[in-house]
Structure formats: structure tokens, C-alpha cells
Amino acid sequence: MRAFVFPGQGSQKVGIGAELADASKAARDVFAEVDDALSQKLFDIMREGPEDQLTLTENAQPAIMANAIATLRVLETDFGVALADSAGAVAGHSLGEYTALCAAGAFDLATTARLLKLRGQAMQAAVPVGKGAMAALLGADIDKATALAEAAAEDEVCEIANDNDPSQVVLSGHKGAIERAVGLAKEHGIKRGVLLPVSAPFHCSLMQPAADRMAEALAGTPPSDFAVPLFANVTASKVTDPHEERQLLVEQVTGRVRWRESVVAMRADGIESFVELGGKVLGPMIGRIDKEAATSSLINMDQLEDFAREIA
């Protein structure tokens, strides 16, 4: 059994989606539908930049989703591989959970684009620029990262945002606390702490205003039934109930992305291979979590064609 997985923020770069759009009408149709839904020429920014516009959270989130869904649509339309027939589960990293839900039929494409646009705007607005920060801890497991976060907090917010794999954990919170954590990393047996070039402290309690906005939005556009189970970020467990998933999407804004635990749970549930659509970030993470898991990343037409031939 295999899972289709979808990347999160940071996987964007100028030119994203261009090769697929040049090669496939199915991809072009996805990008056009997203542009229409947002009343914005987002694909022009994806194809041509400028980079500072693409990396804006409110643009990066729908752009990464659009590229991944375009990859899936090409796989389905041009190569005859349907997700419902080929995957036993879906999952996504942070915003990728919305992509996974779109892929599984819980949200239509236009709704997903609008929700992610709003999510990006809300997350950016939740904390004034310069007040928050995030840092990646390299060579840190969850226990070391937890101890470091507690030591660095000093009455400020310093929380685990992403438990990515056994060697990488991301902290989020007030800028001062995160900078202290970077300075204290080696004392806690952690190889290195690196400040991340982000515009807001995602996945921590400072994001509560954004969670409130998403609760309102999702109350009006809740997910529908999905074709295959989803493994949710905040619980690292299988979800099949749309009502439960709506609440988990709200909690996800302030909650930890439990990616390592999600992969472990999927493996325990019988997932043997992981197929990343539209990126090549999650595959290496999964390989570090479980060396026995098979991984592949599908980005271009040749990779999609090879995958379709392999599973035929």
C-alpha cells in the first residue's frame, strides 16, 4: 500500500509549475482555475517571479498547492493513474494537508486556493513583523528540542513547531526566545540551530488570531467526504470524518506538525511506499524516519510517466 504526500511552505521557487504547464493542458487548466479563484495572476508569479512576491506567505501557500494538484491532475489525466485506485492514504506537511484534502476530494480546487490564500494572510497578520521567529535545530531529536525550548523561553513563547524527522526539529515563537534557543543549542547536545528566513512564527500559540480566522472560514466551507483516509498533522493519526478534520485544520494553525510521528503511524498502518507530488522535500525526511520505506518524488513529466509505467 502507498501514500501520496504533499509538501509544505519552502518548496516554492521561481519557475515552479512551468515545465508541467508547457507539457500538459491538465496542468494549465489547474493554474488557470486557481488564478480565477483568487482573481490574481498567480501563475505568472510562479513562472516568472519576482521571487519576493512568490515567497510571500499568501502567495506561496496557494502556489505550492496548485503545483502539487497540477502534478496529480497530469498523473490522472495524461497517464491514467487515479489517486483513489493507487493510494491507501494521503498526508501533507502543514499547508500540504489542504493539498492532500483537495487531492482526496474533500475540497474543490477553487475552495482550496481561497482557503490557503486566507490562511497565508491570517498567519502573516497574526504577529507583527519582527516580533516572531523560527529556527531549525539540526541534529536534534524531540527530547533535546523540548528541553532547549523550555530553557530558552524565559516567559516568552518558544515551542516546537515541526517534528520533521529524527534529526530535525523546528522551533517557533517570540524572536528573543528563538534567538536564545539558537545560542543555547550546543549546550543541549544539538549540532546547530539555524534561524529560518520566515515572515512569521508559524505553528505556535502566537498564531491564535489566525486560527480564529480559519475557524470562521472553515465553518462556512467545511471539508466533504474524502476518498481515502488522511493522516492529520496535529494528531499523527488517521482521519476519515470530515467534521473531525475541520477542527483539526483549525488546531493545525497553532499546533505542532507531527510529521515524524505521522510517517511512523502510516508505516504501522501498512503503508510501504510514499509518493511525494510536486516537491522533493518530504521524501528525504521519510527516508531518515524509516530507512525501509520506499520513497519517490514526482515533479516532471518523465518522472510521472515512469511512475505510471511502474505501477501499471
Side-chain angles (χ1 to χ4, degrees):
M1 192 161 60
R2 69 177 62 84
F4 283 7
V5 297
F6 300 89
Q9 197 161 336
S11 57
Q12 75 278 354
K13 62 179 181 178
V14 174
I16 185 173
E19 181 180 345
L20 284 181
D22 290 343
S24 172
K25 180 179 183 299
R28 293 193 295 274
D29 287 347
V30 168
F31 298 133
E33 186 174 346
V34 170
D35 280 0
D36 288 346
L38 300 180
S39 300
Q40 176 189 8
K41 292 188 180 300
L42 180 63
F43 186 59
D44 285 353
I45 297 173
M46 294 167 63
R47 182 190 281 273
E48 301 170 7
E51 186 174 0
D52 62 346
Q53 288 297 305
L54 179 59
T55 55
L56 285 176
T57 302
E58 67 177 81
N59 290 332
Q61 294 200 20
I64 292 163
M65 180 279 297
N67 180 61
I69 293 298
T71 307
L72 176 64
R73 292 280 176 84
V74 171
L75 186 62
E76 293 177 330
T77 304
D78 294 10
F79 299 108
V81 177
L83 180 145
D85 298 330
S86 306
V90 292
H93 191 284
S94 190
L95 79 90
E97 188 163 331
Y98 285 81
T99 314
L101 288 164
C102 180
F107 293 123
D108 62 39
L109 178 59
T111 297
T112 310
R114 287 191 288 265
L115 284 171
L116 284 174
K117 184 79 170 179
L118 173 63
R119 184 176 182 268
Q121 292 171 335
M123 292 172 87
Q124 184 61 65
V127 178
V129 174
K131 297 293 186 181
M134 299 181 74
L137 305 179
L138 307 180
D141 61 24
I142 194 68
D143 292 336
K144 290 179 181 178
T146 300
L148 174 60
E150 291 172 355
E154 294 185 10
D155 296 324
E156 290 187 310
V157 171
C158 186
E159 297 169 0
I160 294 174
N162 303 347
D163 179 7
N164 284 334
D165 65 46
S167 64
Q168 187 193 97
V169 178
V170 176
L171 299 183
S172 183
H174 285 111
K175 183 179 181 183
I178 299 302
E179 289 177 341
R180 284 194 293 275
V182 169
L184 291 170
K186 289 189 176 179
E187 291 180 25
H188 285 260
I190 295 166
K191 181 179 178 181
R192 189 156 55 106
V194 181
L195 289 171
L196 297 177
V198 295
S199 54
F202 306 133
H203 296 293
C204 75
S205 54
L206 296 176
M207 287 285 110
Q208 188 58 49
D212 294 341
R213 288 186 66 185
M214 292 311 298
E216 294 175 8
L218 289 161
T221 53
S224 303
D225 291 338
F226 22 107
V228 297
L230 173 133
F231 280 77
N233 282 184
V234 296
T235 60
S237 60
K238 184 191 293 187
V239 183
T240 57
D241 177 19
H243 180 75
E244 179 186 2
E245 176 58 17
R246 178 177 67 179
Q247 181 57 34
L248 293 176
L249 287 174
V250 176
E251 295 174 16
Q252 190 219 54
V253 179
T254 57
R256 182 185 305 179
V257 177
R258 298 178 181 270
W259 186 252
R260 177 185 57 83
E261 294 172 82
S262 295
V263 171
V264 170
M266 283 186 274
R267 290 286 282 147
D269 198 56
I271 298 296
E272 297 174 341
S273 65
F274 296 82
V275 181
E276 181 178 4
L277 292 161
K280 52 181 179 180
V281 176
L282 300 180
M285 281 186 195
I286 293 166
R288 290 189 290 272
I289 295 165
D290 188 333
K291 292 179 171 57
E292 301 300 317
T295 63
S296 56
S297 298
L298 308 183
I299 298 172
N300 58 43
M301 295 295 285
D302 288 343
Q303 291 165 343
L304 290 166
E305 184 176 10
D306 288 346
F307 176 73
R309 187 184 302 113
E310 175 188 319
I311 69 169

